[in-house]
Amino acid sequence: MQLFYTDVFVLPLPAGHRFPMEKYSRLRASLLASGDFAETDFHLPPAASDAELARAHDPAYIHQVCSGTLPEKAQKAIGFPWSAGMVERSRRSAGATICACRSAFSHGISANLAGGTHHAFGGHGEGFCVFNDAAVAARAMQAEGRAGRVLIVDCDVHQGNGTASILAGDDSIFTFSIHGARNFPFEKETSDLDIELPDNCPDEAYLLRLEAGLDTAFALARPDLVIYLAGADPYHDDRLGRLALSFAGLAERDRRVLARCQTLGIPVAIAMAGGYARQIDDTVAIHTTTIRLAKTFSNRQTPCPD
């Protein structure tokens, strides 16, 4: 199973910033320490090119981001101060999901150990998201002739509003988001399928709604590829979450998504998305479980032809 990482491209943040940048390097270290992965399983991705980004983003926005000429209000909406490091990391994160999708077609399953930047719209970013890696990667796979139809399964606690906006009206890419009804973004976009959950939603209720959503999404999408955003933030002790899933509930969520892909013989690329637990060790543990579980599926997957 190939894993693509970007944690060496550090986004410089001021002291006290609430984005848990260190979770990415700690995730890679945790996976190495697990014994399930060798050094050779980890790969640095190339940066997404302007042409790749432009399949999902306005070229003027790409230029503003890369040149550091975004208006102050637009930069504040992203939530990161501008830096060359921010640009490089954002490009690499999109590139990592592109690489994970390509690898999934060869090996059945792959992962970006970052990504899931689903609040980035075509012409602006917000919510710690600069470029929308899932939309960029889905369009890249179509342009490369690898996939005609793509399903994005977004299990981050926040709605994938940027993804829904970018892909609105595109019948070849189906967007499914299961998220907190009263959480950010407070003005939702319309995905192809949205499931909104009440505050403090526990494991059993979440999994019932997820299962029904997967039934609908796979039936309507008929995908050649799934991109799965495995957010850690539905966790009950997440600072920005408002749901009440346990470690076991999140692992079962992952198992159900991945099992559905395996049963149908559909390659799946995973991205980490959000995670803001009060104890960063909890976020790292949730993401680690997702990838270790995926490895057990990779051992059973039948590789898909390039």
Side-chain angles (χ1 to χ4, degrees):
M1 180 179 176
Q2 293 187 322
L3 306 176
F4 297 88
Y5 69 97
T6 58
D7 57 79
V8 296
F9 304 100
V10 177
L11 195 160
L13 295 175
H17 196 284
R18 65 178 179 170
F19 188 79
M21 184 58 60
E22 65 179 294
K23 81 170 185 176
Y24 300 107
S25 59
R26 291 178 62 172
L27 171 59
R28 182 158 60 101
S30 174
L31 292 170
L32 275 169
S34 73
D36 290 337
F37 300 93
E39 290 275 4
T40 53
D41 294 323
F42 297 83
H43 307 273
L44 276 173
S49 68
D50 284 0
E52 288 169 330
L53 293 174
R55 296 191 185 107
H57 293 286
D58 185 333
Y61 171 65
I62 298 168
H63 174 74
Q64 287 181 322
V65 168
C66 296
S67 63
T69 57
L70 276 174
E72 182 180 0
K73 183 178 180 180
Q75 193 68 52
K76 284 185 176 179
I78 290 172
F80 296 139
W82 187 89
S83 67
M86 183 204 80
V87 177
E88 185 68 12
R89 179 175 175 79
S90 300
R91 282 185 175 275
R92 295 276 182 165
S93 187
T97 300
I98 292 172
C99 287
C101 289
R102 290 175 183 146
S103 179
F105 279 105
S106 297
H107 303 290
I109 193 165
S110 185
N112 174 3
L113 300 182
T117 47
H118 59 167
H119 300 311
F121 286 69
H124 70 273
E126 63 180 47
F128 306 141
C129 300
V130 180
F131 298 128
N132 193 306
D133 62 301
V136 168
R139 291 258 169 90
M141 294 306 99
Q142 291 178 324
E144 294 173 12
R146 298 172 187 267
R149 302 181 62 82
V150 180
L151 167 61
I152 298 174
V153 177
D154 190 338
C155 291
D156 189 276
V157 80
H158 307 106
Q159 193 214 29
N161 57 337
T163 311
S165 174
I166 290 170
L167 300 173
D170 184 344
D171 293 337
S172 69
I173 305 177
F174 191 97
T175 55
F176 167 34
S177 179
I178 180 168
H179 52 264
R182 298 178 60 225
N183 211 324
F184 178 90
F186 301 109
E187 292 185 10
K188 307 288 195 288
E189 298 292 324
T190 301
S191 308
D192 292 307
L193 175 61
D194 285 301
I195 294 180
E196 295 195 325
L197 302 170
D199 285 1
N200 300 310
C201 181
D203 291 347
E204 184 176 359
Y206 181 98
L207 293 169
L208 284 172
R209 299 294 301 278
L210 173 66
E211 196 72 27
L214 292 175
D215 287 343
T216 299
F218 277 89
L220 295 177
R222 307 185 312 280
D224 305 308
L225 169 70
V226 170
I227 300 175
Y228 172 40
L229 277 60
D233 44 12
Y235 177 54
H236 70 85
D237 201 35
D238 192 276
R239 291 178 291 118
L240 306 181
R242 302 179 70 155
L243 299 188
L245 272 67
S246 65
F247 285 119
L250 287 161
E252 179 61 16
R253 173 202 69 176
D254 295 338
R255 189 196 67 77
R256 292 190 186 196
V257 174
L258 298 175
R260 187 71 63 107
C261 294
Q262 182 191 57
T263 298
L264 297 173
I266 301 168
V268 55
I270 304 167
M272 295 296 91
Y276 309 91
R278 289 178 174 83
Q279 301 296 322
I280 194 170
D281 287 347
D282 288 349
T283 297
V284 173
I286 293 165
H287 286 320
T288 298
T289 297
T290 297
I291 302 303
R292 294 185 70 190
L293 180 64
K295 176 67 182 294
T296 70
F297 279 90
S298 76
N299 293 336
R300 305 195 296 265
Q301 284 274 12
T302 300
C304 301
D306 284 320

